[in-house]
Amino acid sequence: EVQLVESGGDLVQPGRSLRLSCAASGFIFDDYAMHWVRQRPGKGLEWVSGINWNSASIGYADSVKGRFTISRDNALNKLFLQMKGLRTEDMGFYYCTRETFDCSGGDCYSRGFDYWGQGTLVSVSS
Amino acid sequence: SYELTQAPSVSVSPGQTATITCSGDKLGERHASWYQQKPGQSPVLVIYQDNKRPSGIPQRFSGSNSGNTATLTISGTQALDEADYCCQAWDHGTAVFGPGTKVTVL
């Protein structure tokens, strides 16, 4: 059974740092791209960052670029999000999610985010 | 930056068809995915690559995508389908989500 379990969410003051973790199990972790998606209170989903299987390709939303760093440890089956300079607008649930692809003849197409963790809550307040 | 728009809410009677649309510039040239999210729960993928259903998703969920609009259709809507539905597409390596549509089954 595929499981994604986030941890590390906490209440922090603006400007502080936080590191989120996602423990993956039930699948071959280094076969998949992984992402962080957040949801502010009462709002929709917002993609934060993504990383491919071997960390060679990484992307960030403009809203977090330069402040957040995504990484993974395939030996430990873990995904991380280092967050620095936190702002009140960074508050919300942070979900770890897996992206699956269909590949044929050298072309790959995303099958979307097929598994999600339960989320970890980040609160930013003075 | 690329944007997706959705109507805030849709109401449907049990057994009827719910149609949820997602609009974006030339969205039909990209693949669209749809996610269902119930209160207090994590999102669930219900449609990917415009019209494909993941394993375990009921056949009453279907999708299409053409021009500037992707559509999620729920046929024979059931009370348990009441949820927020959000579309998603890719733009230059970043995932873009629509704001979501709340489907109410009256």
Side-chain angles (χ1 to χ4, degrees):
Chain A
E1 178 193 7
V2 172
Q3 282 199 313
L4 298 171
V5 180
E6 303 94 335
S7 61
D10 203 351
L11 170 61
V12 296
Q13 294 179 327
R16 308 290 289 200
S17 299
L18 206 55
R19 189 192 197 207
L20 306 183
S21 298
C22 170
S25 61
F27 64 101
I28 301 173
F29 184 65
D30 52 11
D31 275 353
Y32 293 87
M34 299 295 296
H35 300 261
W36 289 98
V37 174
R38 70 184 178 188
Q39 188 166 33
R40 297 169 185 163
K43 301 297 183 182
L45 301 173
E46 179 188 8
W47 179 80
V48 173
S49 181
I51 185 169
N52 78 327
W53 70 277
N54 66 354
S55 306
S57 178
I58 287 174
Y60 298 97
D62 288 343
S63 57
V64 306
K65 204 170 290 183
R67 300 187 298 122
F68 290 12
T69 302
I70 192 172
S71 62
R72 63 190 295 162
D73 187 327
N74 289 342
L76 295 178
N77 291 344
K78 285 193 170 183
L79 176 72
F80 303 101
L81 186 67
Q82 178 68 52
M83 303 186 292
K84 297 181 179 179
L86 282 162
R87 305 168 180 169
T88 54
E89 55 264 37
D90 294 319
M91 283 181 53
F93 273 97
Y94 282 71
Y95 295 101
C96 166
T97 182
R98 185 183 87 168
E99 182 185 10
T100 301
F101 290 89
D102 282 331
C103 294
S104 175
D107 292 324
C108 290
Y109 299 95
S110 176
R111 290 173 59 124
F113 304 119
D114 61 349
Y115 283 93
W116 297 67
Q118 84 289 348
T120 187
L121 181 60
V122 173
S123 297
V124 183
S125 175
S126 53
Chain B
S1 61
Y2 193 74
E3 292 187 3
L4 297 172
T5 58
Q6 297 180 243
S9 62
V10 163
S11 296
V12 60
S13 300
Q16 298 304 302
T17 297
T19 302
I20 306 142
T21 59
C22 172
S23 297
D25 184 49
K26 298 180 181 178
L27 180 56
E29 296 179 7
R30 311 165 191 256
H31 278 152
S33 296
W34 289 91
Y35 300 86
Q36 175 196 68
Q37 189 177 25
K38 297 181 180 179
Q41 297 185 19
S42 301
V44 173
L45 177 67
V46 295
I47 291 288
Y48 68 95
Q49 291 175 10
D50 300 334
N51 54 21
K52 298 178 182 176
R53 280 179 292 105
S55 174
I57 300 302
Q59 284 188 320
R60 64 179 180 274
F61 288 89
S62 63
S64 63
N65 186 13
S66 178
N68 295 321
T69 304
T71 302
L72 173 68
T73 303
I74 311 173
S75 304
T77 307
Q78 301 181 11
L80 57 84
D81 299 327
E82 187 163 287
D84 289 327
Y85 292 85
C86 175
C87 58
Q88 178 258 317
W90 289 95
D91 177 57
H92 295 102
T94 65
V96 179
F97 288 93
T101 296
K102 180 175 178 57
V103 171
T104 302
V105 182
L106 298 172

